[in-house]
Amino acid sequence: MTRHNFSWIALFIPSPTGFFSTRRTARQVLLFMSLISLSSVYGQVSYSIAEEMAKGSVVGNIAQDLGLDVKRLKSGKARIYTTDSTEYIELNRERGILVIKERIDREALCGQTTPCALHFQIILENPMELYRVTVEITDVNDNAPTFKNNEKRFEISESAVIGSKFVLDKAMDLDIGINGLQSYTLKPTDNFMLKLHSQGDGSKKVEMVLQKPLDREKEENMSLLLTAMDGGEPLMSGTVQIYITVLDANDNAPVFTKAVYKSVIPENSKKGTLVTSVSASDADKGSNGEVSYLISNSLDGVSELFYIEENGDIILVGELDYEAAKYYQIDIEAVDNGGLSDSSKIIVDVTDVNDNSPVINVISKSTSINEDSPANTVVAMISVDDPDSDTNGEVQCGMNTNIHFAIRLTSNGFYSIVTDSALDRETDSVYNITVTCSDEGVPSLSSSITLSLHITDVNDNAPLFEKSSYEASLVENNSPGLSVFVVRAVDADWKQNARVSYILDESMINGVAISSYVSVNADSGVIHAVRSFDYEQIKDFQFRVKAQDGGSPPLTSNVSVKIVIQDQNDNAPQILYPVQTSGSLVAEIVPRSADVGYLVTKVVAVDVDSGQNAWLSYKLVKATDRALFEVGAQNGEVRTIRQVTDKDAVKQKLTVIVEDNGQPPRSATVNVNVAVADSFPEMLSEFTDFTHDKEYNDNLTFYLVLALAVVSFLFIVSVIAILSVKCYRWRRDRMFYKSNGHLPVIPYYPPHYADVGGTGTLQHVYNYEVCRTTDSRKSDLKYSRPSSQSIISLDTNGTLSLRNAHREKLVMEDPDDQT
């Protein structure tokens, strides 16, 4: 976007009192406004004041002339910038005016240079603005003409012819213009008259011309007064006394071979360098023909730089500086012993040598900048000056490469350092910008400065997790509050913008809020288990964790977390068949004609754990006759291992333990009752008291009931049990322990289980019906089986009943069981 600014140029004509007025009669003010477009300089103002004004005198209302509000001067921290260390003008920000800070002596400041002006800049910040101000210093008549010597002596031969010229010292007046040296007078004028010759540098050569012959006999010594006057108000003057001694005849004056001598010398010439040689001749003979040379320059410092030897050689005795003076005019005289003289001048041109490196001055700079600053943001302004001339003073500035900044030259010779591409604090937090300026001289001279710029952080980076997803395992039955694992995210920003907080992303798992499963530490990212997990209820679950930084506005990212529950061997095997009851029992019938390997029954058990924790093995731990039966270690089948004989007891009781493969292993025990008989009367007497065999069964029943009570208690107080296990236990409680009603008992078999051989007492399909009452003696158990098997039902009276040809009922009641 181009900004249009105005530039003001104001010329003030001072009054004798040194103050200013806007009225045309007191002084005139010329205001010229022109519309310009600048990149960094917004305006220019010029003033004119008289030298020697008192401190505190008002130069001008800079705020009004620039069209600025005084408040802007204050808020922008307006200040004066000048390349010179001496400040003659200061800015009063409270009133918006420029005032005199130090007494200004135009002659000390500019010498004979005209016009004489002070150049400085007004700098404002926020935003950065620059205004150029020029203050012209006008001369006042504060210096009187002066001569180098108070007196001048001549020895003039009486034979001097009319028209002989005698060079007098020139007066010097530091003032300029009308206040400078204007005229000379010589008194008395009886024998001499004054003659002035204008020279190329604007000065006048003063000569005293003989207009009447001298007569030593009448007047041997003369005294004249030379007066130099300026044109200022009040008039100021200076005098020199001229003493003349009249000598006898020396009627020929020295004569230079040239009226003007010219020479060129480099500014870096060493002391003792021969500048040029001059020569003058005198037609007289003897001592009157001997010529001596001298430099007649008075106050301009020439005699301190040059020396003329007796032979007319001009020798350099000082140090030249092209930037201080580009040429010198040396006034010389040739004087013979008779006092006659001639004058000439030497023009010495000083050539420039590249002996000055560019001078770099920082006008204004920023110490820090936001990383999201747009391109072309100004971070510094500098000025560069090389006092050399021509190509030696032409300067080119550049910057170190591979940085995001550029240097641009403005229309008024200043340089702006601006951003030229996007900044990223995470890549570079500090830039050391080196600006190098070189001139075009041979050899080239250069200067450089380094500016340190800090990049301020902006929240432009979201936290990043170390992994795209996380997975962890947790063993079931853990303690609530257990630390599971840690998620970690990093933020490339700085300080508060890089502070990461962790938040659990709310979601539902099986209708339950994820916050009831796990929690996350907001500072460390540690995932904690809020509850104890049960593998049988939940195998795994997923949720998301969000990482949020502390910036404004905050940035976030999230990650998926999966927790896998590992199984523990926390469930003992459960016996499904044969069903164990306390009021009545079931006996398996084995005919005495049973062969080896006869399938008596099968112990069926399950384990709700998984993996090897659910691998079951079967073992016969107790039997009435261990040599008659065996249990399959893997399938739980109870088979005969020898031929049944008549000597075998009718009543057989087997104790089978079912054990899982967990660590440590868990187990369950089941009793299997077997009747070895071919007929019912044969075994009736044995099984009449079978249910009262306390020695064999009491201890085992006690522990089973105790275990059942503990399991039931834990079931009641545990609110986090999985629904499937609760249902299973509820059905088992209803099946095994509810004392009212009729409940079907449906055994669980592993998939594809079958008795392939078709022999034995356990076929493919089994139906059970349990009838229980409050009186255990009247409880019935109905066991349906295929017609190929024989099932007996006994009551306390030993009564046998057959329902049909394909089904038998065995009802056994324990008279000691009172529900």
Side-chain angles (χ1 to χ4, degrees), residues 71 92 134 173 195 215 226 232 247 419 429 553 648 715 764:
K71 294 180 180 179
N92 187 327
T134 301
D173 193 335
K195 189 174 183 180
D215 188 355
L226 178 63
L247 302 177
T419 58
S429 60
D648 293 325
F715 168 76
H764 294 269

Side-chain angles (χ1 to χ4, degrees), residues 302-575:
V302 172
S303 59
E304 298 176 359
L305 296 175
F306 303 96
Y307 172 75
I308 187 168
E309 295 185 338
E310 293 181 359
N311 60 358
D313 290 342
I314 305 297
I315 304 299
L316 179 66
V317 295
E319 294 182 353
L320 301 177
D321 187 359
Y322 176 84
E323 289 70 39
K326 296 178 178 54
Y327 73 93
Y328 293 92
Q329 178 177 301
I330 306 175
D331 295 326
I332 56 176
E333 290 186 51
V335 183
D336 62 16
N337 289 335
L340 299 179
S341 64
D342 191 14
S343 63
S344 182
K345 62 181 179 181
I346 304 173
I347 303 298
V348 179
D349 290 320
V350 181
T351 58
D352 185 38
V353 174
N354 191 27
D355 58 346
N356 291 282
S357 299
V359 179
I360 304 175
N361 296 296
V362 178
I363 300 176
S364 182
K365 68 174 182 177
S366 300
T367 58
S368 62
I369 185 174
N370 289 341
E371 63 176 319
D372 61 348
S373 297
N376 297 320
T377 299
V378 179
V379 298
M381 293 181 65
I382 62 174
S383 65
V384 182
D385 180 56
D386 192 324
D388 291 324
S389 63
D390 299 330
T391 57
N392 294 331
E394 294 179 2
V395 178
Q396 297 292 332
C397 292
M399 297 172 54
N400 48 327
T401 58
N402 299 324
I403 60 174
H404 303 277
F405 302 91
I407 184 168
R408 296 174 181 172
L409 179 64
T410 63
S411 59
N412 64 332
F414 291 95
Y415 287 89
S416 296
I417 299 175
V418 299
T419 58
D420 68 345
S421 59
L423 303 176
D424 187 3
R425 190 209 64 82
E426 289 70 41
T427 302
D428 294 292
S429 60
V430 179
Y431 287 94
N432 291 319
I433 305 172
T434 301
V435 178
T436 302
C437 297
S438 304
D439 59 28
E440 299 295 330
V442 179
S444 177
L445 300 179
S446 63
S447 298
S448 63
I449 60 170
T450 299
L451 305 176
S452 181
L453 182 65
H454 293 265
I455 308 302
T456 304
D457 185 45
V458 174
N459 190 28
D460 57 349
N461 290 278
L464 294 178
F465 283 94
E466 294 177 348
K467 298 180 179 179
S468 59
S469 63
Y470 291 85
E471 181 172 337
S473 60
L474 176 64
V475 178
E476 67 171 332
N477 301 317
N478 60 285
S479 300
L482 177 67
S483 174
V484 182
F485 69 105
V486 179
V487 295
R488 191 176 305 278
V490 295
D491 195 311
D493 291 320
W494 193 47
K495 289 188 176 180
Q496 184 65 24
N497 293 332
R499 183 178 180 181
V500 179
S501 299
Y502 301 92
I503 303 170
L504 189 63
D505 197 358
E506 283 297 335
S507 60
M508 304 296 287
I509 303 294
N510 296 328
V512 180
I514 188 63
S515 57
S516 65
Y517 284 84
V518 293
S519 66
V520 60
N521 187 289
D523 296 325
S524 63
V526 177
I527 305 294
H528 295 276
V530 174
R531 63 193 297 179
S532 178
F533 292 96
D534 189 345
Y535 175 82
E536 287 70 41
Q537 289 183 332
I538 184 169
K539 303 293 189 296
D540 60 68
F541 59 93
Q542 289 186 343
F543 57 94
R544 300 189 73 83
V545 175
K546 180 169 63 176
Q548 177 175 292
D549 60 27
S552 180
L555 300 178
T556 62
S557 61
N558 54 60
V559 68
S560 176
V561 179
K562 180 179 181 181
I563 295 181
V564 179
I565 308 301
Q566 292 183 346
D567 185 42
Q568 266 189 334
N569 191 27
D570 58 343
N571 291 280
Q574 297 178 2
I575 306 298

Side-chain angles (χ1 to χ4, degrees), residues 160-410:
V161 297
I162 296 174
S164 297
K165 296 179 292 183
F166 304 91
V167 178
L168 303 179
D169 291 339
K170 292 188 295 185
M172 297 297 295
D173 193 335
L174 298 179
D175 294 325
I176 61 173
I178 192 65
N179 296 323
L181 181 62
Q182 298 296 320
S183 61
Y184 293 87
T185 60
L186 182 65
K187 294 182 180 179
T189 58
D190 296 336
N191 296 93
F192 296 90
M193 61 176 292
L194 196 61
K195 189 174 183 180
L196 304 177
H197 297 277
S198 296
Q199 295 185 310
D201 60 350
S203 64
K204 295 181 179 181
K205 183 169 71 172
V206 184
E207 292 180 341
M208 182 176 62
V209 180
L210 182 63
Q211 64 176 353
K212 182 179 178 181
L214 300 177
D215 188 355
R216 188 189 65 82
E217 288 71 20
K218 290 184 178 180
E219 189 174 15
E220 184 176 359
N221 298 302
M222 297 181 181
S223 177
L224 291 81
L225 182 64
L226 178 63
T227 302
M229 295 172 291
D230 62 21
E233 291 183 6
L235 184 70
M236 304 183 75
S237 63
T239 61
V240 60
Q241 195 73 38
I242 301 174
Y243 298 98
I244 300 175
T245 301
V246 180
L247 302 177
D248 282 333
N250 180 25
D251 52 357
N252 291 288
V255 177
F256 279 101
T257 57
K258 294 180 180 180
V260 177
Y261 293 87
K262 293 184 177 181
S263 177
V264 178
I265 185 171
E267 64 172 324
N268 62 344
S269 297
K270 297 181 179 180
K271 294 181 180 180
T273 300
L274 175 65
V275 178
T276 188
S277 295
V278 298
S279 177
S281 60
D282 194 319
D284 293 328
K285 293 183 179 294
S287 61
N288 292 329
E290 294 178 0
V291 178
S292 60
Y293 303 95
L294 58 91
I295 296 176
S296 60
N297 295 64
S298 54
L299 299 179
D300 53 4
V302 172
S303 59
E304 298 176 359
L305 296 175
F306 303 96
Y307 172 75
I308 187 168
E309 295 185 338
E310 293 181 359
N311 60 358
D313 290 342
I314 305 297
I315 304 299
L316 179 66
V317 295
E319 294 182 353
L320 301 177
D321 187 359
Y322 176 84
E323 289 70 39
K326 296 178 178 54
Y327 73 93
Y328 293 92
Q329 178 177 301
I330 306 175
D331 295 326
I332 56 176
E333 290 186 51
V335 183
D336 62 16
N337 289 335
L340 299 179
S341 64
D342 191 14
S343 63
S344 182
K345 62 181 179 181
I346 304 173
I347 303 298
V348 179
D349 290 320
V350 181
T351 58
D352 185 38
V353 174
N354 191 27
D355 58 346
N356 291 282
S357 299
V359 179
I360 304 175
N361 296 296
V362 178
I363 300 176
S364 182
K365 68 174 182 177
S366 300
T367 58
S368 62
I369 185 174
N370 289 341
E371 63 176 319
D372 61 348
S373 297
N376 297 320
T377 299
V378 179
V379 298
M381 293 181 65
I382 62 174
S383 65
V384 182
D385 180 56
D386 192 324
D388 291 324
S389 63
D390 299 330
T391 57
N392 294 331
E394 294 179 2
V395 178
Q396 297 292 332
C397 292
M399 297 172 54
N400 48 327
T401 58
N402 299 324
I403 60 174
H404 303 277
F405 302 91
I407 184 168
R408 296 174 181 172
L409 179 64
T410 63

Side-chain angles (χ1 to χ4, degrees), residues 597-658:
Y598 179 83
L599 177 62
V600 178
T601 187
K602 181 172 183 175
V603 177
V604 180
V606 295
D607 193 321
V608 296
D609 291 324
S610 65
Q612 66 178 6
N613 293 328
W615 296 351
L616 301 180
S617 62
Y618 304 84
K619 184 179 181 182
L620 181 63
V621 296
K622 190 175 182 180
T624 303
D625 187 353
R626 296 185 65 90
L628 182 57
F629 301 99
E630 68 175 359
V631 178
Q634 302 300 324
N635 54 21
E637 294 179 350
V638 180
R639 294 180 182 271
T640 59
I641 58 176
R642 64 175 175 80
Q643 185 69 41
V644 179
T645 66
D646 294 338
K647 296 180 180 180
D648 293 325
V650 175
K651 181 178 63 175
Q652 298 284 338
K653 185 174 183 179
L654 309 178
T655 301
V656 178
I657 185 169
V658 183

